[in-house]
Every structure is written in C-alpha cells, then in structure tokens.
C-alpha cells in the first residue's frame, strides 16, 4: 500500500452520533465504515457547547484538545481537566462521559478503536520524525498546528492535513508546529480487513 495523503479541504463534516455537535472524519478502517462498524476511526470535532459524549460500546478513545480553552470531562464520575492543548487523554468510549467547556468552544482530535480488534498509541511531536510502521500497524500523521513536509516527493501537509503510512512504507516528516502521530495496531485476526 502506498502512502496516502488526506487533505483537510476534501473532508465533509457530519453530525455526532448523539446529534450534539459536528465532526469531520480524517480516516477510518474499513474505508466507508460508519460509527457502528469501524475498526478504527480518527476525526476532528468542533465542540460549541457542554453536554454528554456519545457512547461507543467496546471502543477505546483518545482525545486531544487542539484549539480553545479546554474542557473538563467527567468519565464515570471522575473529573479530568483538559486545559492544556496537545496532551492526549485516553478513556473508555462506553463510559458515561460528560463534557463541560472551560471558557468557550474548542476543537478536539479524536481517535477511536474497537478494543477487541485494535489498539492506538497517540503522541504529539514538534520535531523531525521518522515513520516506519511495524508489521500489523499503520501510522496516521495529522498536522495539528503549522505544517509538515514529507521527505518522499517533498509533499507539504498544512494544518489538519494527514498522511497514512502502512506496513512497508517509510518516510520522515519535518515538522514546523505540532503533529499528532497515531500508531494503530490491528489484532492478528483483523489484519486482512485493513
């Protein structure tokens, strides 16, 4: 599989599962999967008001504040304040999760995986990074702030653009800003579905 470049301007916003906001999908597998049948899904959401998060049974989530003053999440009764941007926070998607905006709207970066079928590791980097997905993994690189340039072909990624690298791909990115690196690993039984 060749490197796939996913441009922000080519995405179409869609309503949240619970109807409480709008999200834009960056990538999902299998391609074309909906909110009920993805193995993994990465999206960016505009959160304009406080309220409950959608419940996703059997899903693990990692959320990162990208823009705005942050939010307080109460996950199964435990408060977690996400005031600083670019700090990933992992929690079960099937938990009762309430969101309280701290001081106005935010934009967040959201990674979801079916816990029986996949795992995700999310980190935010600011410097040059080499990417070489291991067997059974793929890596999604998403520019959260500024830009990044891929070595191969000198492809420039602007804010919220992404590049998906699969097993066998290798590249390096020069980062001028902040880049989310999402390493997605499928369970052995699901690798043929990717």
């Amino acid at each position: 599989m060749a490197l796939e470049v996913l441009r922000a301007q080519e995405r179409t916003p869609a309503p949240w599962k619970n109807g409480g906001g709008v999200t834009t999908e960056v990538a999902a597998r299998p391609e074309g999967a909906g909110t009920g049948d993805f193995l993994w899904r990465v999206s960016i959401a505009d959160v304009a008001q406080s309220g409950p998060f959608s419940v996703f049974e059997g899903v693990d989530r990692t959320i990162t504040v990208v823009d705005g003053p942050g939010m307080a999440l109460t996950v199964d009764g435990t408060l977690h304040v996400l005031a600083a941007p670019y700090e990933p926070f992992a929690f079960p998607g099937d938990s009762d999760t309430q969101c309280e905006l701290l001081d106005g709207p935010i934009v967040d970066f959201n990674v979801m995986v079916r816990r029986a079928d996949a795992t995700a590791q999310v980190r935010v980097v600011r410097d040059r990074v080499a990417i070489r997905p291991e067997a059974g993994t793929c890596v999604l690189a998403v520019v959260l702030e500024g830009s990044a340039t891929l070595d191969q072909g000198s492809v420039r990624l602007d804010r919220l653009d992404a590049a998906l690298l699969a097993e066998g791909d290798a590249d390096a990115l020069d980062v001028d800003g902040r880049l989310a690196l999402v390493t997605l690993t499928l369970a052995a039984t699901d690798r043929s579905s990717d």
Side-chain angles (χ1 to χ4, degrees):
M1 177 178 173
L3 169 118
E4 189 177 352
V5 175
L6 307 163
R7 298 289 181 190
Q9 69 266 19
E10 296 171 1
R11 300 178 194 137
T12 303
W16 289 356
K17 181 181 173 186
N18 69 4
V22 175
T23 189
T24 305
E25 183 178 285
V26 176
R29 289 296 181 268
E31 286 189 55
T35 57
D37 59 353
F38 61 82
L39 291 176
W40 61 262
R41 181 175 188 267
V42 176
S43 61
I44 296 165
D46 294 318
V47 184
Q49 60 189 19
S50 300
F53 271 25
S54 300
V55 173
F56 288 92
E57 293 295 332
V59 170
D60 286 329
R61 296 180 72 167
T62 304
I63 198 163
T64 306
V65 174
V66 176
D67 286 329
M71 61 183 159
L73 293 184
T74 303
V75 181
D76 286 337
T78 302
L79 179 66
H80 305 272
V81 178
L82 285 63
Y86 312 119
E87 294 183 4
F89 172 72
F91 64 102
D94 41 17
S95 293
D96 175 27
T97 303
Q98 300 292 320
C99 168
E100 186 71 34
L101 296 177
L102 297 181
D103 192 23
I106 65 160
V107 175
D108 68 43
F109 178 69
N110 186 41
V111 177
M112 295 189 289
V113 295
R114 299 250 173 242
R115 71 175 62 99
D117 302 312
T119 60
Q121 176 191 7
V122 181
R123 63 188 180 110
V124 177
V125 299
R126 298 180 66 174
D127 301 311
R128 181 177 173 84
V129 62
I131 302 173
R132 184 183 304 271
E134 297 177 3
T137 69
C138 63
V139 175
L140 183 69
V142 183
V143 178
L144 301 181
E145 173 188 85
S147 63
T149 305
L150 289 156
D151 272 357
Q152 290 184 2
S154 296
V155 174
R156 178 186 165 99
L157 301 175
D158 292 316
R159 186 171 187 272
L160 303 183
D161 286 346
L164 180 62
L165 292 89
E167 180 182 341
D169 293 335
D171 214 320
L173 288 102
D174 287 309
V175 181
D176 182 16
R178 310 252 185 176
L179 180 82
L181 279 181
V182 183
T183 302
L184 298 143
T185 305
L186 293 181
T189 55
D190 292 305
R191 290 181 186 168
S192 61
S193 302
D194 191 22

